[in-house]
Structures are given as C-alpha cells and as structure tokens.
Amino acid sequence: MTEYDFDRRDVLRALALLGVTGVTAPLFGGTAAASGTSPLDLEFTVEERFRPFDLIAPRFVQVDTAARRGALVKTGVRPKAPYGTVTAEVLDGSAPVVAGLAGDQGSVLGTYDAAAGRAGIEITTPSGTSVVKTAPADLRAPFGFAVVVNENAVTVLADTGAGWRPLLTERDQVRARIDLRDPAVLGKLGYAYGTRGPGRLGRVRAGYFGQAGVRDPHVVQHADGRPYIRHGKLYLTMTNAGLGFFQQAHWAVWTLDLADPAKLEQVATLFFARDGVVLGDHAGQIVRDDEHDRFILLMSSWGDFAFNGVHVRHTVTRADVLSGVHVLPTERLPLPTTVSSWDPALTRIDGRWHIAFVESPAQQPSFVFHPALAAAAPGAGYDRGLTLLGADTSVGQTEGTILQRVGGRWYLFASDGDAREYPVYDLRLRKLGTLNAPYGTNIPHPMLVRVGNRWWLTTFDGTQYAEDVLGYGGHGDFVLMRARREGRE
C-alpha cells in the first residue's frame, strides 16, 4: 500500500468526542460548575485497552435453536435493517453448508463446500442464481460457520477454535443483483440455513450484527450538557464497526457502568430511513430534550458514503431510542456551510442552542477537514436560524468536535491528526492549548468522564480486524485512560 493511500484512509475518521461533566451522581464527585479543574491541567495515561467483538449483538439475538434438517431452512425471522448474522455449528462437514437470508423469491447466502474446498457467496433473484465470489477454504468439522450481512456487503466467516476469521467478502457484485437496503426487498427475506446433503448442524443462532470494533464515542446528554444516567450507568453512542468500509458500520447505544468504567454493554441498535432505503448512518449524538419530552438525534451520512460528500442529518422522537431496535426517518440539518460536514455536537448554552461540527471542503483526492461552531437564533429551535460563530481553517485533519463544560467553562474539543494532539478551543474557536494525553493510531477522540475524584478519558484506536480480507474500516479498540492528578472541587 502506498504512503498516499495510508494517509488518505487515516483521515477518514468521523469520530465524535465524548465529554462528561456536570454530573450529580456521587461517583462523579459533584458538578462541573463547582469544579476548579481546567482540562489543560490534567495528565492522562492508558489504563486499559480491549476489543468489543460480536457477530451477533448479545441483546439482539432473534433465533437460537437446534438446527432442523433441510437443504435450506427458512426461519421466517427477519431483521429490520440489512445488518444481520447467522451462525451455525457444523458437526459433520461432508455436505455443503449454507446460511444467510432467504425468501420465496430469492436469497443471499454464504456457502462452504468441503469436497470442492471452497467458500462462496451465492445470490438468487427472479432472474436466476449467481455465485458472485469464491475463495479456497479447508475446514474440518466441527467448526463454526457464519454469514454476515452489513448493508449490501456479505461476509463468510469460520471459527476453527481460534475465533472468527473471514474467508471472503463481497459488496459490489451483491449490489449489482439485489439491494438489501430497500425495505421492499429485505422485507421478503428472513434468516436461513441448511445443508445440501447428509451433513449435520448443531446450534443455530441469528440476529442483529454486533461489531468488529467500536469508535466515535459520544455521551448521551441532556440539553444543558448533563450526561444521561440510568441505574448507575452512563449512556453513550458509538459507531459499531462493520466487516468493511464505512457503509458497513452502523450506530448503537451502549452503557458504561459507573462502578466499573471498563464495562460496556450494547442496549440499542439504530438505523435510519432516507431516500427510500435503510442505512447505518453513524458518528453522531443523542440529546434528551426534557422540556419537550423528546430525544434529538444527529448523525453523519456515512451510511451511503461514496466519496461524493457527507452531511449532518437529524430527527426527533418520543420513542425510547436508548433500548431496542429502531428505524427512524431523518432530514438534512441546515448547517451554515456550503461544504461537507460531520461529527455534530449539540448543547444548549445560556439558553441558546450551539452545534459544533466538522467542515470538509474536499474528500478527493484527499480529505481536508476542520472544526467549526454554529448557534441557532436566540430562543429558537436547534435547527432554526443557525449562524456560524467560528472555524479553525488553519488545520486540515481535525475532527471529532464536541461541546463540553469543565470547571464551569465551556470548551470545544477536537482531535488533530496532523499534529497528533487534542486541541482545546473556546467558543470563539480560539485555540487555548491541548490535552495532555497519549495520542494513538488513527485520529482518536477524547471522552472526559469524572469518576469519584478522578478524571477518565475514553477513546479508541485504529487497530483493524482482518484487514487482509475485509480492507479498511474494521477498527478500533476501546481505550480507557486515567488522569494522574485528582480533580479539584
């Protein structure tokens, strides 16, 4: 891979940073307004690093059963969006094994044929059946077999005892024959599995795809910036990395246990309907607007990214988007910019809605992006009369904007991939300094969380999953840092 390719992909991060202050819970040790701590006084070191990885999100299993015999067993259970997984225990691998999505008029299947020594991806439509891709494979039973659908990408994986590894993946040839993002198409397909011969399967499970890694952490907050906490757990959104590029990722809500900040659990899965399809738009924020008894959701349009622009979208709902599976219609947010935008961060400051975001004047031949800040008209809704307050056009790889209050003062935080640092701005976009924290791979974005009398910083890195097969996009590790110095009240 050329140096140019590495640089370009390294800056394609739409990572929102996650700031938590102003918490009244005892574990957070008081309110930010009472704190005398400046973010520039804190020094962070890495405490833990781990990798959330689930082919099926634990809370979102839809099928869990002993396999029935048959060449193709259709469960009749289907996902609401094209992000699903089927796994099967292969007890006798002598006959070809299949799994994926199937209906009366078509199917999207991953296959493994031991006699032929190959895995494949097979698409059936009313026009006929096509094997769109194959790869050599030598699997000895017993082994785990899985087929994952992320948007229109289909990936076949196997677990021979050392964890799941992809055998092959394909998107373009699948999309040329079927569009799983179309609700009319997906609605006719359900999870399916089978053996084309006398082979035996054991346990079969199916459900919503989990993640190959996580990124873009952003706290769920109240309109005034207070973090949203239930039963001792902090709620945050993260981008669940898919098995491939940005279109294969989707958005999810997670909880972080305040008694154990390293403990994460996915509690909601979010998808978005626009332009007649269902997508996994991500890299955004959820705000609980208590005054109007609603949730405000903002997200970046990475779900159909094709190097032709990105923009911020939004929606409001009274549904409990912090649990369950949701498909929500969205609209484009009228930001005061004529170029691409992503990484929205919304907070009501002194009675006026402020929104930080990233401006990107170019995505080809390379990405250029910088932080910006806008505000709505005084007394108006968050999406009304937005005017630009400032932007830092001196930087070209800086994203992950968030508005956060520390020590009674509001800041805009971001991450500069060129300088390899976390800049700290005031609300006029004047740079005040940088956070004293390790800067890892990719463009990591800091989430400051106060636990007791200590400050924690949660972020991610660029560690890939099976890049040799899947290409770029299956990152990153979840990284937890802690400040050396105690925060002062």
Side-chain angles (χ1 to χ4, degrees):
M1 179 169 290
T2 66
E3 181 177 351
Y4 169 81
D5 287 335
F6 179 83
D7 289 342
R8 179 181 66 184
R9 72 173 196 176
D10 195 42
V11 304
L12 295 181
R13 298 294 59 99
L15 311 173
L17 65 89
L18 210 172
V20 180
T21 57
V23 186
T24 57
L27 284 168
F28 282 85
T31 66
S35 173
T37 301
S38 164
L40 304 181
D41 295 334
L42 302 173
E43 181 183 358
F44 291 93
T45 57
V46 174
E47 292 281 319
E48 296 189 57
R49 182 192 308 268
F50 58 93
R51 181 76 165 207
F53 183 96
D54 293 290
L55 291 188
I56 304 176
R59 284 196 175 198
F60 299 92
V61 177
Q62 296 173 274
V63 176
D64 191 343
T65 185
R68 304 200 314 266
R69 291 187 179 275
L72 185 61
V73 178
K74 301 172 186 176
T75 67
V77 179
R78 54 181 52 92
K80 296 180 180 179
Y83 293 83
T85 300
V86 181
T87 67
E89 295 177 337
V90 180
L91 304 179
D92 176 355
S94 59
V97 181
V98 301
L101 301 174
D104 292 338
Q105 296 184 342
S107 61
V108 176
L109 300 173
T111 67
Y112 172 67
D113 187 337
R118 67 172 180 264
I121 296 171
E122 177 185 292
I123 310 298
T124 298
T125 68
S127 299
T129 297
S130 301
V131 176
V132 299
K133 193 172 186 178
T134 64
D138 182 13
L139 306 174
R140 304 299 174 89
F143 62 89
F145 181 73
V147 177
V148 173
V149 171
N150 289 153
E151 192 240 16
N152 280 312
V154 179
T155 304
V156 180
L157 306 95
D159 182 359
T160 58
W164 292 106
R165 299 296 299 175
L167 303 175
L168 76 163
T169 189
E170 179 58 31
R171 178 175 181 264
D172 292 346
Q173 292 301 315
V174 174
R175 174 63 187 89
R177 292 161 175 79
I178 193 170
D179 190 354
L180 297 173
R181 307 171 307 164
D182 184 343
V185 174
L186 186 65
K188 297 177 182 178
L189 301 174
Y191 301 116
Y193 63 90
T195 57
R196 293 170 173 170
R200 288 191 304 122
L201 301 180
R203 184 184 185 189
V204 173
R205 301 171 76 243
Y208 288 94
F209 173 75
Q211 70 290 325
V214 292
R215 51 186 186 261
D216 309 335
H218 203 139
V219 73
V220 177
Q221 66 173 64
H222 296 273
D224 61 3
R226 290 176 296 116
Y228 192 91
I229 298 171
R230 283 182 184 170
H231 308 300
K233 294 183 178 181
L234 173 73
Y235 282 70
L236 60 154
T237 59
M238 290 197 286
T239 298
N240 284 17
L243 304 182
F245 198 51
F246 292 170
Q247 308 96 327
Q248 279 74 73
H250 72 284
W251 213 28
V253 181
W254 295 71
T255 59
L256 182 151
D257 192 330
L258 299 183
D260 180 4
K263 184 177 180 181
L264 291 172
E265 183 179 20
Q266 184 181 337
V267 294
T269 301
L270 304 177
F271 305 102
F272 303 100
R274 60 182 173 95
D275 302 324
V277 295
V278 175
L279 300 167
D281 289 335
H282 49 265
Q285 181 193 24
I286 297 177
V287 175
R288 174 60 185 172
D289 185 1
D290 300 296
E291 181 181 354
H292 297 98
D293 186 28
R294 64 180 183 174
F295 288 99
I296 302 170
L297 290 82
L298 305 101
M299 71 295 300
S300 310
S301 67
W302 293 111
D304 61 354
F305 177 66
F307 291 92
N308 56 2
V310 187
H311 63 276
V312 173
R313 301 188 67 82
H314 70 118
T315 190
V316 298
T317 181
R318 286 187 166 85
D320 182 9
V321 294
L322 304 186
S323 65
V325 180
H326 300 267
V327 178
L328 302 169
T330 64
E331 297 178 351
R332 185 168 185 152
L333 184 67
L335 289 172
T337 182
T338 60
V339 298
S340 285
S341 58
W342 61 80
D343 288 358
L346 179 70
T347 303
R348 192 165 55 209
I349 301 173
D350 297 328
R352 186 181 183 190
W353 288 105
H354 288 63
I355 181 166
F357 60 99
V358 169
E359 284 189 307
S360 175
Q363 292 89 53
Q364 294 191 62
S366 61
F367 268 58
V368 178
F369 45 92
H370 60 259
L373 179 64
Y382 71 91
D383 58 343
R384 295 289 184 268
L386 291 168
T387 58
L388 191 66
L389 300 182
D392 182 5
T393 58
S394 70
V395 294
Q397 288 191 45
T398 302
E399 58 184 359
T401 50
I402 195 170
L403 296 168
Q404 181 185 3
R405 186 173 60 179
V406 179
R409 183 178 177 183
W410 288 98
Y411 300 89
L412 189 154
F413 294 84
S415 183
D416 187 334
D418 279 333
R420 312 306 291 171
E421 65 185 19
Y422 308 105
V424 180
Y425 298 93
D426 66 13
L427 297 190
R428 295 175 63 184
L429 267 294
R430 296 177 300 191
K431 186 176 177 180
L432 305 176
T434 61
L435 289 176
N436 187 353
Y439 199 98
T441 56
N442 205 271
I443 305 182
H445 296 226
M447 175 186 77
L448 275 70
V449 183
R450 186 176 176 81
V451 182
N453 64 349
R454 304 300 296 267
W455 284 91
W456 296 80
L457 190 155
T458 306
T459 186
F460 67 100
D461 71 4
T463 302
Q464 292 286 331
Y465 168 68
E467 188 175 9
D468 57 332
V469 176
L470 302 175
Y472 179 72
H475 59 287
D477 284 358
F478 192 76
V479 180
L480 189 65
M481 305 184 200
R482 189 172 69 172
R484 294 177 183 272
R485 186 181 306 174
E486 294 184 358
R488 296 181 290 109
E489 291 302 319

